[in-house]
Amino acid sequence: HADLLRAVTGQEVATVYARSWRVPDSPYRHDPAVAALLTLAGGATVLYEGDWASREPETSWNADWAFVGEGGSLRWTGDPADVHAGEVVFLSSDGAARPLPVPLPVGPTADRAASLGAFRHAVATGQEPETSGRDNVKSLAIVLAMVESVETGRPVALAVG
């Protein structure tokens, strides 16, 4: 989800303040639920919630998203049975709802063969692939900052740049 947040917003996360907790009847040894306030480099605040022991209906691997702005909100609801399916709806501030086409890549650009082809191309040309480890470490830093914030009870600043 950190990758998707960075990709959709085009921004890095500057600070993270997170809290986790146990869920009643959870089968997990550690806290399965987390809520985090993330501040993006541009100043926007993001509320992230995740729960492995929810009594709510299962969400897709791509999660459910809501982007709220001055003119309304954009909501993505994924399909648990198909990572390429889902629904995107724009809800204007006057209450009107308008479904939008789902702009997800399908077919040869979104499978393992495509990933291996991109890897082969990167090795052959020396070009960094779209999903490189050098870039992904920034998403890992967000997750590790959440863990640190949960453990310390304090906000954690990340290096942006």
Side-chain angles (χ1 to χ4, degrees):
H1 298 158
D3 288 332
L4 188 55
L5 173 66
R6 292 176 55 239
V8 169
T9 64
Q11 295 185 38
E12 300 300 334
V13 173
T15 61
V16 173
Y17 187 37
R19 180 175 177 266
S20 69
W21 62 92
R22 293 230 9 102
V23 173
D25 303 326
S26 168
Y28 301 104
R29 184 172 142 212
H30 299 288
D31 294 354
V34 68
L37 288 175
L38 300 97
T39 305
L40 301 181
T45 299
V46 174
L47 172 61
Y48 175 84
E49 297 176 88
D51 187 342
W52 278 84
S54 174
R55 290 183 173 85
E56 297 295 319
E58 183 179 346
T59 60
S60 80
W61 181 254
N62 296 321
D64 291 342
W65 291 79
F67 295 90
V68 180
E70 293 178 12
S73 64
L74 191 62
R75 299 190 183 271
W76 155 262
T77 304
D79 181 346
D82 181 358
V83 298
H84 299 294
E87 181 180 52
V88 179
V89 176
F90 175 71
L91 300 164
S92 66
S93 55
D94 65 8
R98 185 178 61 184
L100 301 173
V102 177
L104 292 176
V106 293
T109 62
D111 62 7
R112 187 170 298 156
S115 296
L116 292 172
F119 176 75
R120 184 173 39 253
H121 181 265
V123 170
T125 65
Q127 292 179 319
E128 188 167 347
E130 180 182 7
T131 55
S132 73
R134 182 185 337 273
D135 183 64
N136 191 259
V137 77
K138 296 174 186 176
S139 295
L140 177 60
I142 296 167
V143 174
L144 294 176
M146 281 189 195
V147 171
E148 181 180 342
S149 181
V150 164
E151 290 176 347
T152 65
R154 292 189 296 272
V156 175
L158 287 92
V160 179

